[in-house]
Amino acid sequence: MENKHTKLMLAVFAVILMIGISFVFGYMLASLKEPVIQTSLSQDQQSLEALILTSNLDYTNTSLSCAILEAGIGTLSNNLNELSNELNSAMSGSVVTPQYSQLSNQLTYTRLNFWVLVQRTNEECGNKFVNLLMFYPGSSTCNGCVNEGQELAYISYISNYTTVATVLNAHANVSAVSALDRYYNVTTFPMLVINGKYIVKGYLTTPQIIQYICKYSSSSDLCKQNVSS
Amino acid sequence: MMYSLSEIAYLVLVILILLITFFWLMVYFEIFNEKEKTRKVKDYPKIAVVIPTLFEGEDLKKSVESVKKVDYPAQKISIYIGLNKASDEKTRKVAKSLESKRVHAIDTGVNGKASVMNYILKNSLKDEQFILTLDADSMIDRLALKRLLSMFDDEKVAVVTPSVAVYRPRNFIEKLQEYDYIFSMVLRKAFSKMDALLVAPGPGSLFRRSTLEKVGYFDEGNITEDMEIAIRLLANGYKIRNKINAFTYTVVPHTTLKLLKQRIRWYTGFFVNVSRYHALLDKEKASVSKSVILLILLSTALSIMVIPELAYYIYIDISGAYTTVTNIGINYLISTSLNDLYIYFFSFNEITILSLITLFIGLFYLMYALKGMKKTLDPVRDTLAVGLYITFFGYLLAFSWFYGALKAGMLRGDVKWRINTQS
């Protein structure tokens, strides 16, 4: 009997050791991932600042500044989406998340500034983009939020990034997000805002999203082409 | 960021699997590194070999021939072939053709394996002190009998069980079972070391006759009489030993369906017997380790949990893919799959590491058992076989345990042998 207990105690000790090793390596991995995400975020922030600067400068040639903005916004939209996916993956299913919440807030703030930039570009350059803003809940479950996020990424892709989507955690600890929550009265999820004015609540399939885009922004390239659903 | 409920459940499952694997791994280290206490066989007691038959036909010859070749004085062994009431003509003819001074073919006139064995034990035996049970489609190794006898070093030892191996595996299903039987050999040895071996398999278990008579022979209404007798012996304070290098060989099911039926029968029998005898096992005189039985039941529960766990993850993946395909299109699913692999690096965390450690320890556990039994390993063949065993056999076993538990629960122990007429 003693032999069995010794073995059981040794097994418990071995399991505790393995859990310890997993957490130590998990922490080391998280420490490796964090600078990778931080570097990407810094690069995106620099790109965004460059675009904001472009939009602020009083160019004699407005069409040139609009062309620069159009090209930059498409690329940055894609980069920010990927970065958001990377950060969400790094944060999910782990208690070892050093600095991640700070990075998450920075990214949210950057995405918000990006959305504002697209709004301004539309005003100055004549509605070149369909500007989509989607809210999802950070602290509760949401049926369809992940799928709708994927659909928005797909719509951006097939529109050759003339449709840009910004996905925001409505519960992010960022004061500007709280202000937007109040402004749009964000209570149900997912919630989609088209071009800053039109609000659609609840989950939408890809054809439904395209239908709404065409309803509120009929000049979009998406409305001219046949999209397979 | 805290864990979600499903992540906590997964983590608990992984930790329990790791704990159980480490525990049995330590028992395995002892099995393969310690010299076993045995008794040298000086006097040769008389042994009755009881072979119950049904429809085995020509296979019966191999079984009897294997007994005739064992390294043991021939005059000390008597072979009793028990013909079932339902035995076919072919099997009867083979049995009669094998009759000699040492081989007796007995028409018992009863149905059921346990009934046939009991008939012989009560009516046909002479002055034999030990009883070797042998299925009619099984063979005994030449050196097995002496090795089994060497383990009767204590009056409390009621039965010594052999290592049952697969006889000439041919197709894929039989070859996978070959590995399953090897892993079972080590596991049964481990169970016996922990006083928790709950089966005395039909192919080659050696019983002390006086003990078998005292506890009242085999249970004739039980679908797994080899488990029932083992549990009853333990409940009555007797010991069950295992001799890992005493081999017997058995013919195994050659189709998945037959294999599934066999396993469901075994595991239904296990649950029926454990539930029937759990009160007896709690008795003061019972020589069974209840904590280890609990560990075995926990291992079983964990293997059963693999099914809903797996089904849940498959459902999540398939429903996600289905939604993407129906809402967006298959092209998007394919194009994002590569990107998902890159994103996977970012989701690699402490739970992933612990899962990989558990997988590695689990593989080591299986390979260590394999190396212990086969002595040499073929790195390619054996690794591939173990991989296939885990992916294919693991789920088949989990399903069989699950279905067996369900059936035992539904039938509330009312599970009896049924003899189907031969097709």
Side-chain angles (χ1 to χ4, degrees):
Chain A
M1 195 54 135
E2 227 172 71
N3 194 16
K4 284 169 211 161
H5 285 147
T6 310
K7 284 189 175 68
L8 197 58
M9 290 315 292
L10 278 171
V12 169
F13 175 75
V15 169
I16 291 169
L17 188 70
M18 292 302 134
I19 294 171
I21 288 172
S22 303
F23 273 78
V24 168
F25 276 97
Y27 184 80
M28 285 164 70
L29 257 178
S31 306
L32 281 176
K33 285 185 273 186
E34 190 213 333
V36 174
I37 295 169
Q38 177 71 69
T39 308
S40 299
L41 180 59
S42 301
Q43 283 169 354
D44 290 346
Q45 281 171 332
Q46 280 177 20
S47 303
L48 180 64
E49 279 165 22
L51 289 175
I52 290 170
L53 191 66
T54 306
S55 72
N56 283 338
L57 287 175
D58 184 19
Y59 277 100
T60 47
N61 189 348
T62 321
S63 61
L64 178 67
S65 68
C66 283
I68 294 170
L69 283 168
E70 280 170 38
I73 282 172
T75 314
L76 191 55
S77 169
N78 190 31
N79 288 354
L80 286 171
N81 276 337
E82 281 187 7
L83 187 60
S84 186
N85 285 340
E86 288 167 14
L87 187 60
N88 282 336
S89 295
M91 288 174 80
S92 66
S94 177
V95 287
V96 187
T97 53
Q99 312 292 327
Y100 281 164
S101 55
Q102 200 184 328
L103 277 176
S104 177
N105 285 346
Q106 278 180 36
L107 179 61
T108 303
Y109 191 72
T110 306
R111 297 199 82 171
L112 200 55
N113 281 338
F114 174 75
W115 178 75
V116 172
L117 174 72
V118 179
Q119 283 292 97
R120 253 178 77 180
T121 307
N122 273 347
E123 284 164 18
E124 289 172 10
C125 302
N127 291 323
K128 294 281 180 189
F129 296 96
V130 176
N131 196 14
L132 303 177
L133 179 66
M134 188 195 115
F135 289 96
Y136 72 92
S139 54
S140 56
T141 51
C142 164
N143 288 329
C145 283
V146 174
N147 285 330
E148 192 159 315
Q150 276 188 334
E151 287 167 26
L152 293 180
Y154 171 68
I155 289 168
S156 294
Y157 171 72
I158 58 165
S159 71
N160 206 18
Y161 297 102
T162 55
T163 297
V164 288
T166 303
V167 179
L168 283 184
N169 172 6
H171 300 142
N173 190 20
V174 175
S175 54
V177 174
S178 307
L180 270 185
D181 284 349
R182 280 195 300 276
Y183 182 77
Y184 288 115
N185 189 24
V186 181
T187 48
T188 48
F189 300 102
M191 194 179 115
L192 192 65
V193 181
I194 303 169
N195 286 342
K197 292 182 214 162
Y198 310 106
I199 296 169
V200 189
K201 291 178 178 180
Y203 172 67
L204 300 171
T205 63
T206 307
Q208 284 172 328
I209 296 172
I210 293 171
Q211 262 183 359
Y212 276 110
I213 288 172
C214 295
K215 186 177 171 186
Y216 298 124
S217 183
S218 55
S219 59
S220 167
D221 289 348
L222 284 170
C223 309
K224 295 167 195 160
Q225 54 184 270
N226 287 325
V227 181
S228 59
S229 58
Chain B
M1 175 77 56
M2 289 303 289
Y3 293 134
S4 67
L5 268 179
S6 67
E7 281 157 357
I8 292 171
Y10 176 77
L11 201 58
V12 169
L13 189 71
V14 170
I15 289 171
L16 283 175
I17 291 171
L18 198 57
L19 179 75
I20 288 166
T21 312
F22 268 125
F23 177 80
W24 289 119
L25 198 54
M26 273 179 270
V27 182
Y28 285 12
F29 286 149
E30 197 179 305
I31 290 171
F32 293 118
N33 293 302
E34 271 187 13
K35 197 167 158 45
E36 197 161 47
K37 258 179 33 185
T38 52
R39 176 182 75 92
K40 195 165 168 57
V41 181
K42 289 177 202 155
D43 51 338
Y44 292 97
K46 285 190 178 173
I47 292 171
V49 181
V50 179
I51 309 176
T53 65
L54 190 58
F55 308 130
E56 289 79 6
E58 290 294 322
D59 284 344
L60 179 61
K61 273 187 188 168
K62 289 180 193 161
S63 183
V64 172
E65 288 307 317
S66 75
V67 180
K68 285 183 176 173
K69 285 179 192 162
V70 291
D71 178 25
Y72 202 81
Q75 69 278 13
K76 300 274 187 175
I77 297 178
S78 304
I79 303 169
Y80 297 89
I81 302 169
L83 288 161
N84 201 298
K85 190 179 176 184
S87 286
D88 60 348
E89 268 313 302
K90 192 177 177 189
T91 307
R92 286 172 188 279
K93 272 186 190 167
V94 173
K96 293 290 174 194
S97 72
L98 291 167
E99 273 190 310
S100 67
K101 195 180 163 194
R102 289 172 54 203
V103 183
H104 315 280
I106 297 154
D107 201 339
T108 61
V110 292
N111 269 330
K113 189 178 165 188
S115 305
V116 169
M117 288 195 291
N118 282 350
Y119 181 92
I120 291 173
L121 296 179
K122 289 172 187 170
N123 303 302
S124 312
L125 294 197
K126 296 179 186 94
D127 56 347
E128 293 91 349
Q129 293 148 274
F130 289 91
I131 294 147
L132 182 88
T133 59
L134 194 64
D135 289 348
D137 56 359
S138 306
M139 283 130 272
I140 185 166
D141 183 73
R142 204 177 68 83
L143 303 171
L145 198 50
K146 272 189 188 172
R147 286 176 177 167
L148 289 170
L149 261 179
S150 71
M151 297 295 282
F152 283 93
D153 60 340
D154 177 345
E155 275 303 308
K156 281 283 176 193
V157 178
V159 55
V160 179
T161 70
S163 284
V164 184
V166 174
Y167 178 69
R168 290 186 188 165
R170 288 190 179 90
N171 67 16
F172 176 71
I173 297 291
E174 290 175 341
K175 281 178 181 159
L176 274 186
Q177 286 177 84
E178 183 186 14
Y179 283 86
D180 184 55
Y181 273 67
I182 292 173
F183 298 136
S184 296
M185 288 175 198
V186 191
L187 203 56
R188 281 180 184 168
K189 181 71 193 174
F191 287 168
S192 81
K193 273 191 114 41
M194 296 288 114
D195 298 326
L197 182 56
L198 299 182
V199 64
S205 288
L206 187 63
F207 291 85
R208 196 189 290 277
R209 183 182 176 181
S210 56
T211 315
L212 205 52
E213 285 170 352
K214 268 185 211 160
V215 296
Y217 304 100
F218 295 98
D219 180 358
E220 297 180 5
N222 206 289
I223 56 164
T224 46
E225 77 296 327
D226 50 358
M227 279 184 204
E228 194 278 339
I229 189 72
I231 296 175
R232 192 145 41 92
L233 285 167
L234 289 172
N236 282 287
Y238 293 103
K239 290 178 185 172
I240 298 176
R241 292 267 165 88
N242 170 273
K243 184 69 180 162
I244 200 163
N245 64 352
F247 294 99
T248 57
Y249 305 91
T250 190
V251 175
V252 292
H254 57 277
T255 64
T256 311
L257 191 66
K258 283 184 177 170
L259 173 65
L260 203 60
K261 278 184 181 172
Q262 183 199 51
R263 294 303 166 115
I264 288 171
R265 180 173 66 81
W266 286 1
Y267 304 142
T268 305
F270 171 81
F271 286 111
V272 166
N273 287 318
V274 167
S275 61
R276 188 180 289 175
Y277 287 102
H278 73 93
L280 278 178
L281 290 174
D282 279 340
K283 282 199 317 192
E284 193 65 33
K285 69 172 180 178
S287 63
V288 63
S289 169
K290 284 175 276 291
S291 53
V292 181
I293 299 279
L294 274 178
L295 210 60
I296 294 171
L297 288 172
L298 182 65
S299 315
T300 309
L302 288 177
S303 75
I304 289 172
M305 278 166 74
V306 168
I307 284 189
E309 182 89 13
L310 184 78
Y312 172 75
Y313 285 114
I314 289 175
Y315 168 75
I316 294 287
D317 285 349
I318 290 179
S319 65
Y322 176 76
T323 314
T324 307
V325 170
T326 50
N327 287 340
I328 304 175
I330 186 106
N331 290 342
Y332 183 71
L333 182 75
I334 295 165
S335 69
T336 52
S337 295
L338 273 177
N339 194 43
D340 285 350
L341 278 179
Y342 169 70
I343 295 289
Y344 186 71
F345 162 74
F346 288 94
S347 61
F348 208 88
N349 56 32
E350 65 273 11
I351 298 183
T352 326
I353 296 169
L354 194 64
S355 305
L356 285 176
I357 288 175
T358 307
L359 182 69
F360 177 77
I361 300 285
L363 282 175
F364 176 76
Y365 163 84
L366 291 176
M367 294 307 264
Y368 185 77
L370 204 58
K371 173 87 167 60
M373 293 310 294
K374 290 176 75 174
K375 305 299 173 201
T376 51
L377 287 182
D378 181 332
V380 180
R381 187 178 180 270
D382 289 326
T383 308
L384 193 70
V386 169
L388 283 171
Y389 175 79
I390 294 168
T391 47
F392 178 78
F393 221 84
Y395 297 124
L396 186 134
L397 286 182
F399 177 76
S400 311
W401 277 113
F402 179 70
Y403 192 79
L406 214 63
K407 202 173 163 186
M410 282 194 305
L411 297 173
R412 291 173 190 272
D414 187 25
V415 187
K416 290 206 164 83
W417 258 112
R418 272 188 220 104
I419 296 172
N420 299 318
T421 49
Q422 199 181 24
S423 53

